[in-house]
Amino acid sequence: MNVLARKKAKPEIKKLSKEEKKLLFRKNVKRDKYLLLMFAPVLIYYLIFAYLPMTGLVMAFTQFKAGSGMMGLYTGTFVGLKWFIQFFNSPYAFRLIRNTFLLSFYSLIFGFPIPIIFALCITQIKNKYLQKGTQIITYLPYFISTVVICGMITNFLSPSSGIINQLIVKAGGTAINFLGEPKWFRAVYVISGSWQSFGFNSIIFVAAIMGVAPELYEAMKVDGASKVQTIRYLVLPSIKPTIVLLLIMSLGNLLNVGFEKVYLLYNSGIYDTADVISTYVYRQGIGSQNYSYATAVGLFNSLIAFVIVFTANRLSRKLTETSVW
Amino acid sequence: MKKKEYWKAAVLSAMIAAAALSGCSGKSTQAESKEEKSNEAEFNYTGAAPVTNTPDAKVSILAQNSWYSTVDYANADIIKKIASNAGVTIDWTLVSPTNYKDSVSPMLASGSDLPNIVELPDLDENMTYITGGLFYPLDEYMNYMPNYKKFLDSNPDIKASLTSEDGHIYYVPQTVVTDNYQPCTMINMQWLDQLGLPVPTTLDEFVEDLRAFRDNDMNGNGDKTDEIPLSVTAKNLPYMFGPAFGLNLVDGFYADESGKVHYSAAESENYKKYLTFLNGLYKEGLLEVEYTSLTRDQITERCARNITGATFDYSWQMSQLYSKQYPEYTGEKGIMVGIPPLSGESKGFYLARNPIANIFGVSKSDKDPLLAIKFLDYSMSEEAQNYYVWGLEGESYTVSAEGKKAYTEKASDSNWLQQLGINAGCLPSQQSVEATDVLLPKWHVDKDKELQAYSKAPWPFIYSTKDEQNIISQYLVDITTYVDEMNVAFITGTTDLSTFDSYLSTLDNMGLKDLLKVKQQQYDRFVSSTK
Amino acid sequence: MNQKSTWIEFKNECITDKLFDICIWVLIAAAVCITLYPFVYVVSISLSSGEAVNKGLITLLPVDVNLDTYWMVMSYKDLWISYGNTFYYTVMGTFLNIVFTCLGAYPLSRKRFFLRKKMNFLLAFTMYFSGGLIPSYLVVTGLGLYNSRLAMILPVLVSAYNVMICRSAFEGIAEELFENAYLEGANDLQILVKIAIPLIKPTLAVLTLYYAVARYNDFFSALLYMGKQNLQPLQLFLRRILLMASAEIMQSSGNATAASAAAQSTIQIRYVCIVLSMVPIVCLTPFIQKYLVKGTMLGAVKG
């Protein structure tokens, strides 16, 4: 009901004539001239390095012909939706999409809250050195490259000699072949992903929490609030805009499962849960690259991601007044 | 209306920008090449150095650098000697082999500013680069390539592989040894000796040995349960047991004696027997649970801890990796040693390699390719091959009075030999057995000669036409995904072997028949080209 | 801030807070253990003797401490050249990243900017759609950037993701500050430099870290655009060493030279290279942390 009333109350926008539009434009440019000046290099950057290559997406609808330079992007033989059809004709298309989606969805559900919780914990540490030291230690896994992390994971999870299984056996259980059974892959992927990045991802939340003025904490104390209450009623609301912004932007990654990590951890025994779009496209490309096919699949991914983020952004604008654009 | 115009303008400007960019790149060698053209054509090159008499003759080459990170081929003496013999200066662009495919594929996709000679990032199976018109058809220049002509005539198989659908030959190959130092089964000789057992020759004998490894305390630490009979990675497993069932599970496709093409994973009898056999090994604990995720590092660790009895890997690892892990290893006698292939119902064999490892093309970026073509030809001449294999006379090898060549003491220093540029990967070298022999201990060399007798040719390299490529790209990845998945499922028992027939019919429904037709077509084409 | 007062504080807290504190400490201890362990593991392997490594004896601490592999790797000239390159790309790159991010985010944060909505969308769109490998490659090489140091900097000059974060930070600054400045005759450029940027120091610190890590870890741009070995960054060097031992390499080349080179890239060498490649970037973090100080917004609002 309120919405309807709001809609009705919107003021009438006068339709400007061509002349008036031009005048308004000139006025705006004059008033915002410094802003335009500042933004100009950034705009040029995006036009050259983002939008110009984007015109190459045409490649997804043609048979790319190698060796013709930039014009080759636009002049291949037109094949329409051939690549998309080829991908969707595969009996595995649904499985690939499902696996890709679930891996990133679980990563988000599991991996998004943890840095926030951790940031809250870290900012509770009173001792400056302890706090900074803990932070540094927790970032470390992020800097270890994927190839090494996967080597470590394979080692730790080995049924015969890995630490995890040794602990399980000592506790009386039987060793689990984590990397050999499909049902474990998602857990391995998500947990190892969170473990690697929670420290690093918490930095931005720590910065946001630090931005809360100390007087507000004092005020809460004076009111007799416990630590838990302070967090619930002061800190969390203060960092809500940051959380919402990052959440929406993360949603854009829902169909982007990093190729390298899955590739290093998977094997044909666990294709059922581990085979994702990027690894499948890679296997297609062994022999000679089929760039058009890869572009088509990439375009499909981007489209879905964009639709998801667009919807989330709309929702967020209505519900929380924070949005990405 | 306005919006449409706006979009039109935007697209137009994008295209103009693109055209401008493509125009920006690409040097013009018009002026220079006109002069050289007459020179190069006139100079009488008959196969031996030099290739030209033009002063300051330059050839630019894009190729793989050495596998050894401390070696740079541009400074290697062998390479320099070849260039100076030919009378040219080479402008090298060398990229590390680990990055080669990723770095160079986009270069070829863009096609601009390519050096005269390019080592391709792959074998151009789908003729992507040929269709893109990037390289000169070398068969039209055979007058200038006497060495290559001779090579092709004496290697009809390679000639057939390299002849594309339009009848032209675009590339010069870098070949590798096909029958020597191929992957083989290896057994822990110490353990066999401890049990007093002979080297197994059949599957049954091998299984008996594995059982013995499993049940006894082989490494003498008092624990009977820590021995792992067979440590093999999922990638190597098909190499290992496939041949005993008459299957080539590595290439998947193979031709029988009558020339009919089969797909190994669809062989209703033999493949089922193969799976049953492996399933048996798995159930008995002889093929370990971890095999699907096992890595070479883990196998190395097992050798160091002396807890494994058998494995399968590239022959090289026998002496250079696995045997070295054992403290008892002196270099005289191997510990993890290769054995002749196991026979089952079919006589065992080891799959050989395809001789073509890398290919070189002469790019169309130079209007006058004659200099590059002649140099490429010289770089594969016997004289050049001699350099690749033996190095520099007096330094890395000596020739006896009877004309017998032998490596010098200095040459046994592998690092120094690599610095010299032995077996250079940046030119069309033909890997030789001798050059590999010198790097290995005698027991390994002898063993290799013994195993050489068992090798069998793999599926040949054949170009795909556009139509063939369509069918292959439509079905192959899905079929191999299904086959690999079901392979593991049958072996580990997740799927019962009684459902094998439904597996076969699913495979049929995935387009296997069409794929087989295409492969048969390709194979027939190959066979007729070799005649 | 001393131990005694913290303990007294703890005793005086209500029961929920006490439980809360205990939870926090447990969580933090757990977090530290699980993140410290792999790092210690890697360092231990790099410091142990070759045989112990091959036998898999290392679980936590080094066995038979041995610095030979370190000396060997540090004697590769390539390592130092690539360190230098990485240093250049990271410092120059990050600096330019931050400058252009601020220049882009500030206008987007001003509500009166007449192109605001359109530009916001323009940037956000690029987070999801990209031309892909070949078109980007063609543009960059078409501009003549192949084998130029700029190829590591220009194509990645601005990250829309970070601009959004920076914009959000600018939006958080109270409007009165800007209004006061306008009244005193300042223009947007002066406001940006003298008022806005100092106020978002913590965010800028975080973005500097994000960008620095991204520049530091970028190997793919180098793979595509840095043909000359003496321009290549550390990550490419590291990748070469790490991939040498992979199964793919063996299968695709299968020749003896590759195999023998691969055998030299032992587990230990790989781990030594990892440690050497982690040290610089880890050393950067304490400097960043200096800026993550409580209540930096304080003082600005009061005036």
Side-chain angles (χ1 to χ4, degrees), chain B residues 67-68 96 103 305 316 353, chain C residues 223 240 244 249 253 260:
Chain B
W67 283 96
Y68 284 76
S96 163
S103 286
R305 286 163 57 194
W316 184 269
R353 281 199 68 195
Chain C
L223 195 69
R240 247 186 292 150
M244 286 281 253
I249 303 293
S253 67
S260 97

Side-chain angles (χ1 to χ4, degrees), chain A:
Chain A
M1 258 220 314
N2 265 333
V3 180
L4 282 172
R6 245 189 288 151
K7 273 208 167 139
K8 274 208 179 125
K10 238 192 200 164
E12 290 281 325
I13 304 179
K14 222 171 62 172
K15 277 247 150 97
L16 298 167
S17 69
K18 216 164 119 177
E19 276 295 314
E20 286 175 318
K21 274 197 187 155
K22 249 196 183 157
L23 228 66
L24 184 62
F25 184 75
R26 282 225 188 96
K27 208 172 85 173
N28 281 332
V29 169
K30 204 164 179 219
R31 182 194 62 181
D32 291 339
K33 63 173 180 281
Y34 284 105
L35 293 181
L36 281 175
L37 212 65
M38 279 188 242
F39 198 75
V42 176
L43 182 63
I44 295 177
Y45 164 80
Y46 275 105
L47 288 178
I48 299 182
F49 289 102
Y51 282 93
L52 185 53
M54 246 191 254
T55 61
L57 282 176
V58 168
M59 221 168 92
F61 302 98
T62 67
Q63 171 79 49
F64 178 68
K65 191 172 151 192
S68 321
M70 218 123 178
M71 290 324 263
L73 290 174
Y74 315 118
T75 56
T77 31
F78 184 72
V79 295
L81 294 175
K82 173 176 168 184
W83 307 118
F84 296 95
I85 296 179
Q86 188 178 324
F87 177 73
F88 283 103
N89 265 344
S90 159
Y92 296 111
F94 175 69
R95 181 172 88 177
L96 295 171
I97 297 176
R98 180 200 71 193
N99 286 345
T100 311
F101 178 76
L102 284 181
L103 278 180
S104 24
F105 183 69
Y106 288 145
S107 295
L108 193 66
I109 299 246
F110 194 74
F112 192 78
I114 294 190
I116 303 179
I117 298 176
F118 186 69
L120 290 170
C121 292
I122 277 264
T123 43
Q124 290 294 321
I125 303 182
K126 296 281 185 336
N127 184 318
K128 210 165 64 155
Y129 293 113
L130 202 58
Q131 187 189 65
K132 300 221 157 115
T134 318
Q135 270 197 303
I136 297 188
I137 292 180
T138 50
Y139 309 155
L140 291 177
Y142 188 80
F143 299 121
I144 304 181
S145 69
T146 317
V147 180
V148 179
I149 293 276
C150 292
M152 279 198 247
I153 295 177
T154 314
N155 258 345
F156 294 163
L157 296 180
S158 158
S160 56
S161 55
I163 280 205
I164 309 266
N165 274 310
Q166 282 178 1
L167 290 174
I168 294 181
V169 167
K170 274 212 178 100
T174 43
I176 304 177
N177 186 3
F178 289 101
L179 291 175
E181 289 175 46
K183 67 182 183 205
W184 283 104
F185 184 74
R186 290 186 184 129
V188 170
Y189 183 86
V190 171
I191 295 180
S192 60
S194 301
W195 158 73
Q196 197 185 359
S197 57
F198 81 88
F200 191 76
N201 286 340
S202 69
I203 301 180
I204 183 114
F205 294 115
V206 169
I209 294 176
M210 292 294 198
V212 177
E215 302 103 52
L216 296 174
Y217 281 110
E218 289 298 320
M220 290 296 272
K221 245 199 182 150
V222 162
D223 283 348
S226 72
K227 279 193 192 164
V228 184
Q229 289 173 316
T230 314
I231 292 192
R232 225 177 116 196
Y233 296 113
L234 173 61
V235 182
L236 281 179
S238 308
I239 63 175
K240 192 174 82 164
T242 315
I243 295 181
V244 170
L245 184 72
L246 291 180
L247 183 61
I248 300 179
M249 295 206 284
S250 307
L251 283 176
N253 285 329
L254 270 185
L255 277 189
N256 277 343
V257 172
F259 161 78
E260 213 175 15
K261 186 164 172 201
V262 176
Y263 183 72
L264 290 169
L265 287 177
Y266 86 165
N267 58 73
S268 37
I270 54 176
Y271 275 168
D272 199 38
T273 50
D275 200 14
V276 289
I277 297 179
S278 48
T279 47
Y280 179 81
V281 172
Y282 176 78
R283 293 203 302 277
Q284 266 280 10
I286 296 185
S288 314
Q289 318 271 34
N290 187 346
Y291 290 115
S292 285
Y293 182 79
T295 310
V297 176
L299 183 56
F300 168 71
N301 271 9
S302 299
L303 218 63
I304 303 281
F306 186 68
V307 167
I308 295 180
V309 174
F310 193 82
T311 321
N313 195 53
R314 263 279 165 83
L315 270 173
S316 166
R317 206 186 305 156
K318 288 237 160 75
L319 296 175
T320 66
E321 286 163 19
T322 331
S323 59
V324 180
W325 71 84

Side-chain angles (χ1 to χ4, degrees), chain A residues 64-69 74 82 86 90-92 95 158-160 177 267-269 271 280 283-284 287-289 291, chain B residues 18 105 108-111 122 125-126 128 131-132 134 289-290 292 298 302 470 473 477-478 481-482 484-485 488 510:
Chain A
F64 178 68
K65 191 172 151 192
S68 321
Y74 315 118
K82 173 176 168 184
Q86 188 178 324
S90 159
Y92 296 111
R95 181 172 88 177
S158 158
S160 56
N177 186 3
N267 58 73
S268 37
Y271 275 168
Y280 179 81
R283 293 203 302 277
Q284 266 280 10
S288 314
Q289 318 271 34
Y291 290 115
Chain B
S105 301
L108 291 177
S110 102
D122 51 48
E125 218 173 284
N126 299 331
T128 324
T131 345
L134 285 170
V289 168
E290 208 176 334
T292 49
Q298 287 174 301
R302 287 168 184 196
N470 264 336
S473 75
V477 177
D478 291 332
T481 306
Y482 183 63
D484 289 342
E485 242 185 287
V488 173
M510 289 177 97

Side-chain angles (χ1 to χ4, degrees), chain B residues 108-162:
Chain B
L108 291 177
S110 102
S112 41
D113 267 351
L114 290 176
N116 300 126
I117 299 180
V118 178
E119 183 175 357
L120 271 77
D122 51 48
L123 293 180
D124 201 15
E125 218 173 284
N126 299 331
M127 302 197 291
T128 324
Y129 305 123
I130 294 179
T131 345
L134 285 170
F135 298 108
Y136 282 105
L138 296 175
D139 51 301
E140 288 175 7
Y141 295 87
M142 275 305 166
N143 291 336
Y144 300 97
M145 305 191 84
N147 292 306
Y148 191 32
K149 190 160 186 298
K150 204 163 66 163
F151 175 81
L152 287 176
D153 289 337
S154 40
N155 289 290
D157 275 7
I158 299 186
K159 184 172 185 185
S161 280
L162 288 175

Side-chain angles (χ1 to χ4, degrees), chain B residues 182-246:
Chain B
Q182 295 312 311
C184 61
T185 309
M186 304 173 197
I187 285 201
N188 185 333
M189 285 306 176
Q190 282 183 327
W191 285 15
L192 275 187
D193 291 337
Q194 267 175 271
L195 293 170
L197 293 170
V199 171
T201 54
T202 66
L203 282 182
D204 294 325
E205 286 171 25
F206 186 66
V207 175
E208 281 306 314
D209 291 340
L210 289 182
R211 289 196 184 116
F213 291 159
R214 176 194 60 189
D215 299 330
N216 294 307
D217 177 23
M218 301 305 303
N219 53 18
N221 65 353
D223 181 2
K224 270 196 189 171
T225 59
D226 67 344
E227 278 77 10
I228 299 174
L230 175 63
S231 294
V232 63
T233 63
K235 277 208 169 69
N236 283 333
L237 189 61
Y239 271 105
M240 192 173 187
F241 293 113
F245 294 88

